[in-house]
Amino acid sequence: MTRFLEALRTVPRVDPAEWAQLPLPTRWAVAARASVLLMTFTSAALGGLLALREPGFDVVLWTLALVGLLAAHATNNLINDYVDSARGVDRDNYYRARYGTHVLESGLLSRRAMLAYIGATGLVALAAGAAVVWLRGGPSLALMLAGAFFVLFYTWPLKGLGLGEPAVLAVWGPLMTGGAYYVACGEWSWTVALLGTVYAIGPTTVVFGKHIDKLPDDAAKGIRTLPVLLGERRARLWVAGMIIAEFLLVGALVLSDAVAWTLLLVLLNVPAARRTIDVLGAAKPAERPADYPAEVWPLWFAHHAFVLNRRFSLLFLAGLLMASGSAGSSHTRISRSRSPGVP
């Protein structure tokens, strides 16, 4: 259980002897990089919280959507490692294999076993999605097909064409949050999609940061992520700008009366954001600082962005929970802007 909980927090390093003793759920959590599923949970939770007071809210359908989204994200992570390993990208001590256990490159799983993990996890995502389409109808099928497209093609070719980062913004924003809201209450809301996009800036900074960390390796292998195309200095400025934009957009939504003032709770994260921006203002250290966690090195910008986003996520959800318990909450305002039909 301890290792499983650790796998929900980080990507632990596991040797073959320990791997042989781990139960299947823990092996799956390590292989699927379950720690990053928190971002997906938050996106889906936002949609559910915003739909909670709407007529027709269905907790079963929202739960199906949540399970489907988590399984789809895990499937994407597994496919990412499988495809990059099969194409030779992750070989020869490539960056991905240095910041956490790569179950294929370290020989913990065979390719056949990895395909079984992908198939089983993908089947859960597909079954949950099919149930949602059957029970909710409407644009559910279009939303599921859009999600399937990104699951299958994020690793190749999108990531290598500088489209991986925009894809993350689209998926964790309007697709996940807007989709979870629609599935939960049967109405599409552009305000919810926008609010989800504001949150999705955080996961995008995490992916951006990881690709900055990997920039020399990616450039050498011809993987043209957005940081490779921009260059390291500009990419770091982009991440800093996105962090600032996240706070400004929350403020703008509150001032426009689109969401409740309780969302300003995220401002408690400003000091942490300032520290992260200071990190982005300097080059990555050549060696791990003595006070830096060894289990995440050599990730640097990605880890700082991940920690910041985790704190932002908790404050964001807390602000929505506070709003849901008060009259005149963001739910009431959002319901005025929603519109039935396809997005």
Side-chain angles (χ1 to χ4, degrees):
M1 179 59 72
T2 301
R3 269 311 217 183
F4 179 78
L5 294 176
E6 184 182 354
L8 296 181
R9 184 181 59 85
T10 185
V11 185
R13 291 180 172 87
V14 181
D15 60 37
E18 182 183 10
W19 178 264
Q21 304 299 318
L22 292 177
L24 182 59
T26 305
R27 292 187 184 189
W28 175 87
V30 171
R33 286 177 275 156
S35 59
V36 296
L37 299 184
L38 172 66
M39 296 185 292
T40 294
F41 175 84
T42 304
S43 288
L46 290 177
L49 282 174
L50 293 168
L52 191 58
R53 284 191 170 182
E54 301 295 348
F57 174 77
D58 191 317
V59 68
V60 173
L61 282 174
W62 175 79
T63 302
L64 283 171
L66 174 64
V67 170
L69 290 171
L70 290 171
H73 185 183
T75 302
N76 175 258
N77 287 345
L78 292 165
I79 290 174
N80 194 334
D81 282 352
Y82 182 88
V83 171
D84 281 348
S85 180
R87 293 174 60 221
V89 172
D90 287 347
R91 294 175 191 167
D92 302 323
N93 200 33
Y94 177 65
Y95 206 94
R96 164 65 186 92
R98 297 201 297 271
Y99 66 77
T101 300
H102 191 309
V103 293
L104 285 175
E105 293 301 309
S106 59
L108 300 179
L109 280 183
S110 66
R111 295 199 181 188
R112 182 174 181 178
M114 187 67 156
L115 285 173
Y117 275 52
I118 292 170
T121 310
L123 186 61
V124 172
L126 184 61
V132 166
V133 171
W134 177 264
L135 296 171
R136 179 57 77 188
S140 298
L141 178 60
L143 291 167
M144 187 181 79
L145 291 177
F149 171 82
F150 287 112
V151 166
L152 294 174
F153 299 112
Y154 168 80
T155 304
W156 184 90
L158 296 178
K159 184 173 68 174
L161 297 174
L163 297 174
E165 295 80 6
V168 169
L169 185 65
V171 170
W172 269 262
L175 190 58
M176 285 192 183
T177 302
Y181 177 89
Y182 171 77
V183 169
C185 69
E187 299 274 0
W188 178 264
S189 168
W190 287 110
T191 303
V192 171
L194 176 59
L195 189 60
T197 303
V198 172
Y199 165 74
I201 292 173
T204 306
T205 64
V206 176
V207 172
F208 230 109
K210 184 176 72 171
H211 290 167
I212 296 172
D213 287 328
K214 295 168 53 184
L215 193 154
D217 295 59
D218 283 340
K221 289 180 177 280
I223 302 172
R224 298 169 64 81
T225 62
L226 201 49
V228 170
L229 297 176
L230 291 171
E232 182 183 331
R233 184 175 178 277
R234 287 183 180 177
R236 287 192 277 117
L237 289 173
W238 264 91
V239 177
M242 286 190 288
I243 290 171
I244 294 170
E246 199 167 27
F247 291 99
L248 293 178
L249 287 169
V250 169
L253 287 171
V254 171
L255 288 175
S256 66
D257 208 36
V259 297
W261 67 268
T262 55
L263 264 292
L264 293 178
L265 193 66
V266 300
L267 295 179
L268 293 175
N269 211 34
V270 167
R274 175 61 187 270
R275 292 192 294 271
T276 304
I277 290 172
D278 287 342
V279 168
L280 290 162
K284 176 183 175 178
E287 301 291 336
R288 179 179 70 86
D291 60 346
Y292 191 78
E295 65 269 19
V296 298
W297 182 262
L299 289 178
W300 178 253
F301 298 113
H303 176 66
H304 282 91
F306 179 78
V307 171
L308 180 68
N309 179 69
R310 184 170 56 193
R311 293 170 176 163
F312 187 93
S313 300
L314 293 174
L315 292 169
F316 206 82
L317 288 174
L320 285 178
L321 282 169
M322 290 168 62
S324 68
S326 62
S329 71
S330 59
H331 299 282
T332 305
R333 298 186 190 113
I334 285 170
S335 67
R336 295 173 188 165
S337 64
R338 63 195 173 106
S339 56
V342 297

